[in-house]
């Protein structure tokens, strides 16, 4: 059999799945004919197809040494170089093709994609615009320009270009998908879903389309639908760690925390050290009372995708590994004001180990935190003398190996200033025989969970019908949406305009018989002061309130009232009214 027939047979063997035999035949030919162009070419094609990219590059290079004007071979070389991450080499190959006079839209577009991979965005954009100037009806060109503008976060412009591409080629599934990503960034979620529906209709076996549809549905809090789409995507791509992490997060939003843990474990099994899954796992572990594992996982909060930036990293971190007696340590607040109030109790335990404690808190908390103990309290941004080590406050439960039974929960650990308490008593007429109740319906609007935990003040209306009670609005900020109700409700007495800091809020609370609050810093402050507080919780509570209990191991004076279904504050208030009638 002639050499050309042997090469043709080898290619047929490759096409029929007998790759090993094809490779052996071609290598045998090259042993005796090392400069056989066709053998080098076909063996290079086989190596590229089977993931042997470095071998393919070498073989294509040898073939091109024999025929340096072969456009098809340069294209194959460029593709395998690009797939190998050799972007500079791929760019040279594409430019060689253009130099040889083969100026086609797909080559210019491939060059643009390569430039983009090299972060040469303006050159990539110029290349795409050159393509579109010559071929204005080239749908892929408009789609790629949209993708580039998307990367540059020019989302409105990107959307225009995706629409142009899809008008030219409506059956472009990936165009609909990328349009949906752009609409997502513009928070046009309904339109994003519609685009994903078009993409899925065209390519129903594409896992990414289902998984991103699940993400949009999750944002819309349509959790059951999100879970279903996520599972469809996972059936197509069971090895997708991020999708398993999303699956767990959606289950947690449905209050199915044990199942969520199973999904997080799948994610972590596929991607060891997956910080987002580990961080989210910690929240499900903690809400289930699995504190030993939960505090360990909670340390991944610093490594997740949207992590806060830690302060004081130049100071050695202390997580309990060595004795702290005689050392000077900085304990610093993180996350919200309520978190600081809850966890600064640990400063007392650290001081009891013989350490000199410097406690750093938000300026609004400095005065009230100073009532805790005989250690220095500073506001964030204030200078302090050198310390030996530092610990973020919310890592201290890990340090002290806190379990449910060992939560440090004294009856109170903050004390209202006596002078301020008396001043507020006189100013607000906290005297008389009526029951004095403080109300809080909302907290920091910037909290990502705010729309679940806060409620309109009008929801308190059934409470305000009760006789023998004076009601005081304790929250400092009144939302615009609540203004009309407050103005029409004289029974709800305002104190917010006079509150300067948390020491003022503490003095007001200390004059009250009871505080009824949604899950905000005022609820934490009331618990830290030992004042009776009824905390109104959403159906899926924050991890610290655990599940299926009416008390809190963190605050002995707290009583918990939970939504029985998502968004149902009315049912919560009915139970609060019933409980008040029994007081």
């Amino acid at each position: 059999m002639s050499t050309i027939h042997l090469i043709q047979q080898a290619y047929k063997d490759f096409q029929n799945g007998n790759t090993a035999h094809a490779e052996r035949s071609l290598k045998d030919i090259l042993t005796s004919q090392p400069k056989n162009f066709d053998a080098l070419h076909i063996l290079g094609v086989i190596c590229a197809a089977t993931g042997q990219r470095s071998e393919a590059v070498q073989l294509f290079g040898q073939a091109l040494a024999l025929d340096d004007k072969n456009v098809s071979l340069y294209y194959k070389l460029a593709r395998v170089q690009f797939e190998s991450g050799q972007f500079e080499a791929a760019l040279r190959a594409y430019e060689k093709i253009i130099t040889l006079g083969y100026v086609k839209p797909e080559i210019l577009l491939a060059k643009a994609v390569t430039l983009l991979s090299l972060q040469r965005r303006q050159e990539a954009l110029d290349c795409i615009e050159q393509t579109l100037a010559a071929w204005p009806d080239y749908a892929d060109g408009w789609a790629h320009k949209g993708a580039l503008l998307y990367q540059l976060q020019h989302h409105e412009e990107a959307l225009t270009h995706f629409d142009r591409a899809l008008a030219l080629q409506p059956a472009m599934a990936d165009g609909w998908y990328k349009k949906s990503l752009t609409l997502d960034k513009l928070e046009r979620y309904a339109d994003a879903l519609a685009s994903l529906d078009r993409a899925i209709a065209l390519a129903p076996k594409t896992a990414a389309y289902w998984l991103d549809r699940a993400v949009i549905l999750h944002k819309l809090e349509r959790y059951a639908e999100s879970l279903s789409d996520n599972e469809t995507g996972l059936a197509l791509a069971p090895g997708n760690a991020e999708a398993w992490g999303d699956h767990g997060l959606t289950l947690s939003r449905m209050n199915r925390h044990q199942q969520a843990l199973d999904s997080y474990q799948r994610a972590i099994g596929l991607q060891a050290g997956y910080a987002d899954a580990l961080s989210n796992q910690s929240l499900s572990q903690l809400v289930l009372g699995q504190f030993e594992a939960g505090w360990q996982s909670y340390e991944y909060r610093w490594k997740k995708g949207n992590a806060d930036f830690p302060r004081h990293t130049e100071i050695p971190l202390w997580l309990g590994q060595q004795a702290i007696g005689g050392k000077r340590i900085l304990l610093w607040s993180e996350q919200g004001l309520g978190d600081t109030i809850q966890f600064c109790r640990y400063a007392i335990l650290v001081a009891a180990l013989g350490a000199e404690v410097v406690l750093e808190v938000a300026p609004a908390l400095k005065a009230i935190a100073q009532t805790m103990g005989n250690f220095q309290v500073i506001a964030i941004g204030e200078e302090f003398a050198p310390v030996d080590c530092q610990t973020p406050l919310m890592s201290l439960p890990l340090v002290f190996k806190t379990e449910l039974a060992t939560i440090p929960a004294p009856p109170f650990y903050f004390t209202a200033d006596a002078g301020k308490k008396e001043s507020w008593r006189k100013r607000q007429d906290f005297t008389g025989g009526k029951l004095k109740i403080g109300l809080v319906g909302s907290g920091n609007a910037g909290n990502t969970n705010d729309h679940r935990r806060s409620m309109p003040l009008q929801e308190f209306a059934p409470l305000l019908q009760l006789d023998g009670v004076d009601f005081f609005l304790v929250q400092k900020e009144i939302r615009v949406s609540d203004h009309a109700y407050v103005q029409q409700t004289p029974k709800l007495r305002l104190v917010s305009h006079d509150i300067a800091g948390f020491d003022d809020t503490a003095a007001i609370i200390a004059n009250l018989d009871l505080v009824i609050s949604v899950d905000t810093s005022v609820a934490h402050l009331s618990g830290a002061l030992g004042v009776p507080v009824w905390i109104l919780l959403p159906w899926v509570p924050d991890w610290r309130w655990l599940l299926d209990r009416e008390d809190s191991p963190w605050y002995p004076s707290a009583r918990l009232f939970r939504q029985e279904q998502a968004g149902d504050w009315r049912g919560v208030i009915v139970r609060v009214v019933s409980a008040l009638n029994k007081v």
Side-chain angles (χ1 to χ4, degrees):
M1 188 180 291
S2 68
T3 300
I4 190 63
H5 285 113
L6 287 170
I7 294 170
Q8 289 172 346
Q9 184 59 48
Y11 190 63
K12 285 180 182 177
D13 288 341
F14 165 62
Q15 289 179 313
N16 292 328
N18 195 352
T19 304
H21 186 269
E23 285 191 46
R24 282 196 302 272
S25 297
L26 293 166
K27 287 177 179 177
D28 287 343
I29 292 169
L30 289 169
T31 299
S32 58
Q33 302 176 46
K35 293 188 177 182
N36 186 302
F37 176 86
D38 292 323
L40 290 165
H41 182 179
I42 299 304
L43 185 56
V45 169
I46 293 172
C47 287
T50 55
Q52 303 173 67
R53 293 186 180 124
S54 59
E55 292 86 348
V57 168
Q58 184 178 0
L59 289 160
F60 289 149
Q62 290 175 291
L64 283 165
L66 302 169
D67 180 3
D68 69 349
K69 292 183 171 54
N70 191 306
V71 169
S72 174
L73 200 51
Y74 272 114
Y75 181 65
K76 290 168 186 172
L77 174 64
R79 287 189 62 180
V80 75
Q81 287 171 327
F82 182 89
E83 291 165 359
S84 303
Q86 300 174 37
F87 302 129
E88 291 283 3
L91 181 61
R92 288 194 296 272
Y94 285 126
E95 288 174 340
K96 179 68 174 179
I97 293 170
I98 294 166
T99 301
L100 290 169
Y102 192 84
V103 184
K104 297 291 183 181
E106 61 271 17
I107 298 301
L108 289 170
L109 202 55
K111 177 185 174 182
V113 171
T114 307
L115 285 164
L116 193 57
S117 299
L118 290 165
Q119 304 299 311
R120 291 159 64 174
R121 292 191 175 92
Q122 187 56 54
E123 292 173 78
L125 190 59
D126 292 343
C127 190
I128 293 173
E129 288 176 347
Q130 176 190 349
T131 306
L132 291 171
W135 294 276
D137 292 335
Y138 185 46
D140 280 347
W142 291 107
H144 275 77
K145 186 174 180 183
L148 177 51
L149 290 166
Y150 174 87
Q151 287 192 24
L152 295 170
Q153 299 183 42
H154 299 162
H155 298 127
E156 290 287 0
E157 290 180 74
L159 190 60
T160 300
H161 287 78
F162 287 130
D163 284 338
R164 182 77 177 267
L166 291 165
L168 291 164
Q169 190 175 324
M172 187 192 300
D174 201 54
W176 288 108
Y177 172 61
K178 287 175 179 171
K179 179 180 177 180
S180 77
L181 299 180
T182 307
L183 289 163
D184 177 20
K185 292 293 186 184
L186 293 168
E187 298 183 1
R188 291 170 54 182
Y189 300 129
D191 292 334
L193 283 179
S195 288
L196 280 165
D197 288 342
R198 294 290 297 267
I200 288 168
L202 291 163
K205 298 296 184 183
T206 307
Y209 300 173
W210 290 101
L211 295 173
D212 278 292
R213 192 174 192 276
V215 170
I216 299 294
L217 288 165
H218 182 102
K219 291 178 180 179
L220 291 168
E221 300 186 9
R222 292 161 57 178
Y223 297 127
E225 296 169 80
S226 174
L227 194 67
S228 176
D229 278 8
N230 187 281
E231 289 170 355
T232 301
L234 280 170
L236 296 165
N240 188 317
E242 184 177 352
W244 280 109
D246 290 344
H247 190 258
L249 185 60
T250 300
L251 285 166
S252 74
R253 291 281 187 242
M254 300 171 78
N255 239 357
R256 294 162 61 180
H257 291 284
Q258 191 57 57
Q259 291 170 279
L261 291 181
D262 295 338
S263 296
Y264 292 137
Q265 281 301 303
R266 289 289 295 270
I268 296 160
L270 289 164
Q271 184 178 321
Y274 183 13
D276 285 79
L278 284 157
S279 178
N280 288 330
Q281 172 185 262
S282 73
L283 304 181
S284 285
Q285 289 169 327
L286 292 170
V287 79
L288 290 168
Q290 300 174 14
F291 278 13
E292 182 178 1
W295 299 128
Q296 294 283 348
S297 301
Y298 198 57
E299 290 303 295
Y300 282 90
R301 69 192 182 278
W302 301 111
K303 299 177 182 177
K304 63 182 181 176
N306 61 344
D308 293 333
F309 188 77
R311 304 193 303 279
H312 309 300
T313 52
E314 74 284 0
I315 304 171
L317 175 66
W318 179 72
L319 290 178
Q321 307 94 326
Q322 62 273 351
I324 197 71
K327 302 288 186 180
R328 182 173 164 84
I329 184 170
L330 173 70
L331 306 179
W332 51 275
S333 64
E334 51 173 308
Q335 301 185 42
L337 296 171
D339 299 289
T340 302
I341 293 168
Q342 180 178 355
F343 288 95
C344 68
R345 69 184 74 197
Y346 281 92
I348 301 167
L349 301 188
V350 176
L353 295 176
E356 182 183 350
V357 170
V358 180
L359 175 62
E360 183 192 61
V361 299
L365 291 174
K366 180 178 178 181
I368 189 65
Q370 286 175 328
T371 69
M372 267 200 309
N374 187 25
F375 45 78
Q376 184 182 3
V377 179
I378 61 171
I380 294 171
E382 290 182 354
E383 293 188 5
F384 54 90
V387 296
D388 299 296
C389 51
Q390 54 86 14
T391 309
L393 279 180
M394 297 177 77
S395 290
L396 289 171
L398 174 65
V399 170
F400 287 95
K401 298 180 171 59
T402 299
E403 293 286 352
L404 280 173
T406 61
I407 290 173
F412 65 91
Y413 51 90
F414 284 172
T415 305
D417 179 86
K420 279 186 175 288
K421 178 181 176 181
E422 178 61 19
S423 172
W424 276 102
R425 187 185 69 80
K426 291 177 180 177
R427 288 159 64 189
Q428 289 297 327
D429 189 18
F430 285 119
T431 58
K434 289 186 176 181
L435 191 68
K436 296 174 286 295
I437 297 179
L439 299 179
V440 180
S442 59
N444 174 16
N447 186 294
T448 55
N449 196 42
D450 182 70
H451 67 288
R452 297 186 193 92
R453 68 167 187 169
S454 293
M455 69 180 192
L457 291 177
Q458 191 168 354
E459 296 283 3
F460 284 125
L463 285 182
L464 300 178
Q465 305 305 311
L466 295 174
D467 294 326
V469 183
D470 281 334
F471 291 98
F472 301 86
L473 188 61
V474 180
Q475 66 191 59
K476 185 174 181 180
E477 302 293 336
I478 301 175
R479 300 192 175 179
V480 172
S481 56
D482 287 326
H483 281 175
Y485 178 73
V486 169
Q487 291 168 1
Q488 297 164 10
T489 312
K491 191 168 182 181
L492 185 57
R493 297 165 60 176
L494 301 185
V495 293
S496 59
H497 57 280
D498 288 329
I499 295 174
F502 272 79
D503 50 340
D504 281 313
T505 306
I508 293 167
I509 291 171
N511 279 292
L512 299 174
D513 299 302
L514 172 67
V515 173
I516 300 175
S517 173
V518 295
D519 181 9
T520 70
S521 56
V522 174
H524 287 275
L525 180 61
S526 302
L529 289 164
V531 172
V533 55
W534 292 1
I535 305 175
L536 316 181
L537 298 177
W539 182 60
V540 180
D542 194 66
W543 64 264
R544 72 200 73 223
W545 307 118
L546 304 165
L547 299 173
D548 303 321
R549 57 190 297 167
E550 293 185 358
D551 67 325
S552 168
W554 295 96
Y555 297 112
S557 68
R559 182 176 175 182
L560 309 180
F561 291 80
R562 302 172 183 270
Q563 286 182 349
E564 294 180 347
Q565 60 184 30
D568 180 25
W569 289 117
R570 184 170 301 177
V572 173
I573 296 299
V574 166
R575 283 182 276 122
V576 169
V577 170
S578 177
L580 277 175
N581 282 327
K582 297 174 184 176
V583 172

